[in-house]
Amino acid sequence: MQPKPNIVHLPVYQPGKPVEDVKRELGLTEVIKLASNENPFGCSPKAKEAIARELDNISIYPDGAAVELTNALAEHHGVNPDQLIFGAGSDEVILMICRAFLQPADETIMADQTFPQYKHNVTVENAKSIEVPLKEGTHDLYAMLERVNDRTKIVWVCNPNNPTGTINTADEVEWFLSKVPSHVLVVLDEAYCEYIDDPTFPDGLKLLQKYPNVVLLRTFSKIYGLASLRIGYGIGRADVIRSINQVREPFNTSRIGQAAALASLQDGEFIAFCREENKKGLDDFQRAFADLGLKTFPAYGNFIMVDVQRPGQQVFEALLRKGVIVRAGHQRYPTSIRITVGSREQNEKVIAALTAVLQEIAVKV
């Protein structure tokens, strides 16, 4: 059986290396994983209580339309219920957007170093990805606009951008949206927006009111700490969401995921705690890296990209031997690694391990 020609060379997504694999392979008893932008503080206690209550209903299919969660989230964001769609993580919403709108020969525009699932799903639909170089780690919206043409169907803007952690400001995004033709769907991926308190960051919900060709992507995987329950969502104009919903698989989110997400919305105190601790962690990393003479991009999510001034893969492997899992392999930034913000204890251990690794490499050189 031969696969479709357009997917033959498509890479399989490589998640962060599992902790248990590292322990087994290297004979370690303690391993810190700061590779997948997970919340080190877990999820809300209210979410855990909701999960426990739902266990007796495991044998029953979930509500395919996620009505209760949809209504609560609509009220939370001040939108109508028909403006929301849920997926198994925002990854699946990306898949559904591509499936709903892309045909062979259509073009989409994205940054040359951004969340890889945009290009992956565009390729699956046999459409074309136009990759525009980042400018100082940030989406170059002016250059992206120049690539828009009659074949352009979607523009992807990851804000904050993964893996660089940078943002485009409200003024930049507003200018861009005012120039993009109405036939082009602009997907603003805001997976990490709850971490941001910077007043220059755009309010995607307000932009959506003004620009009907905007779709926002959000997730419960990051600050809400529900990564393993796989529940993300999109917000857009009702007719756009209806088109995406037409390609959605039935029961694509679980009872437990829906219940946990609903309970998480009711715990603003937990979200505020995670936001504050994350900010402290970013500050600690930036100070430590500056002391080591290393440059970073401005960081707005729950991770930071640092230029370690030698092959990132080499540093990744050396840190792995010390029981620290980070992320390397960034094609456009081969001397950089991405580190998730952990607890204060985890952050201190990572800084100490990286300091030791850089010293060891310097001695060998």
Side-chain angles (χ1 to χ4, degrees):
M1 181 71 68
Q2 293 296 318
K4 295 195 299 184
N6 56 300
I7 71 164
V8 170
H9 302 292
L10 200 60
V12 176
Y13 181 78
Q14 298 297 321
K17 199 169 179 64
V19 168
E20 293 307 317
D21 285 1
V22 176
K23 287 182 177 180
R24 183 177 60 254
E25 292 169 9
L26 299 178
L28 299 171
T29 56
E30 181 184 5
V31 172
I32 298 171
K33 181 187 176 187
L34 296 179
S36 299
N37 301 344
E38 296 152 330
N39 189 336
F41 305 107
C43 65
S44 162
K46 292 183 179 180
K48 294 179 182 178
E49 293 169 3
I51 290 168
R53 289 194 298 270
E54 202 60 46
L55 291 178
D56 287 339
N57 296 321
I58 291 293
S59 62
I60 304 171
Y61 281 113
D63 175 2
V67 171
E68 190 175 3
L69 177 59
T70 296
N71 290 336
L73 196 59
E75 182 178 355
H76 181 77
H77 287 313
V79 299
N80 296 323
D82 60 3
Q83 291 184 263
L84 289 163
I85 186 166
F86 291 91
S90 55
D91 313 59
E92 191 191 18
V93 183
I94 294 167
L95 180 154
M96 291 188 286
I97 290 171
C98 291
R99 182 176 292 176
F101 295 109
L102 294 180
Q103 300 183 70
D106 285 342
E107 294 184 358
T108 81
I109 298 171
M110 64 195 70
D112 66 342
Q113 185 74 76
T114 191
F115 188 48
Q117 292 309 99
Y118 310 143
K119 184 176 181 180
H120 177 96
N121 285 290
V122 169
T123 303
V124 169
E125 299 303 325
N126 209 13
K128 184 177 181 181
S129 295
I130 307 298
E131 297 179 86
V132 177
L134 292 171
K135 187 175 182 181
E136 298 179 356
T138 303
H139 285 69
D140 187 343
L141 297 181
Y142 180 83
M144 294 175 79
L145 183 65
E146 288 189 321
R147 302 302 300 272
V148 173
N149 58 43
D150 291 341
R151 296 182 300 278
T152 307
K153 280 289 187 70
I154 304 172
V155 178
W156 308 91
V157 179
C158 189
N159 201 31
N161 186 45
N162 181 10
T164 56
T166 58
I167 64 167
N168 289 97
T169 66
D171 288 344
E172 292 169 346
V173 175
E174 175 94 31
W175 172 85
F176 180 72
L177 292 173
S178 73
K179 302 294 184 182
V180 172
S182 59
H183 75 272
V184 176
L185 192 68
V186 179
V187 179
L188 299 180
D189 188 343
E190 300 179 333
Y192 302 91
C193 67
E194 292 92 353
Y195 284 106
I196 302 174
D197 57 9
D198 190 306
T200 67
F201 186 70
D203 184 334
L205 292 165
K206 287 185 177 179
L207 293 173
L208 178 60
Q209 294 174 10
K210 188 173 181 180
Y211 299 100
N213 58 331
V214 167
V215 170
L216 308 177
L217 297 183
R218 303 281 182 92
T219 184
F220 284 92
S221 294
K222 303 307 178 184
I223 201 167
Y224 289 100
L226 302 179
S228 69
L229 297 184
R230 311 307 302 126
I231 188 156
Y233 59 100
I235 316 173
R237 197 173 65 179
D239 61 324
V240 174
I241 295 301
R242 182 181 183 279
S243 295
I244 301 171
N245 221 349
Q246 287 177 301
V247 301
R248 180 179 62 83
E249 297 294 333
F251 311 122
N252 64 325
T253 59
S254 68
R255 295 185 68 94
I256 288 179
Q258 291 179 28
L262 181 61
S264 296
L265 285 175
Q266 300 163 8
D267 196 348
E269 185 177 341
F270 175 76
I271 300 304
F273 165 78
C274 292
R275 184 186 301 115
E276 183 60 29
E277 290 301 306
N278 184 74
K279 186 178 185 301
K280 293 176 184 176
L282 284 175
D283 290 343
D284 289 344
F285 274 145
Q286 287 167 330
R287 281 193 297 269
F289 297 151
D291 290 344
L292 291 170
L294 304 178
K295 293 183 178 180
T296 68
F297 287 119
Y300 290 88
N302 68 337
F303 57 91
I304 188 168
M305 178 176 261
V306 54
D307 185 350
V308 290
Q309 302 173 2
R310 58 269 293 161
Q313 190 64 30
Q314 179 187 18
V315 174
F316 164 81
E317 292 171 0
L319 285 171
L320 205 60
R321 292 190 290 272
K322 293 184 180 296
V324 174
I325 310 172
V326 296
R327 194 76 158 167
H330 306 292
Q331 184 178 359
R332 308 302 181 193
Y333 301 100
T335 62
S336 293
I337 59 175
R338 189 194 70 189
I339 306 174
T340 304
V341 178
S343 66
R344 173 150 289 188
E345 180 183 9
Q346 289 174 326
N347 297 338
E348 289 174 352
K349 289 181 178 180
V350 170
I351 291 167
L354 180 60
T355 302
V357 162
L358 297 179
Q359 290 173 345
E360 292 165 6
I361 293 175
V363 169
K364 289 179 182 178
V365 171

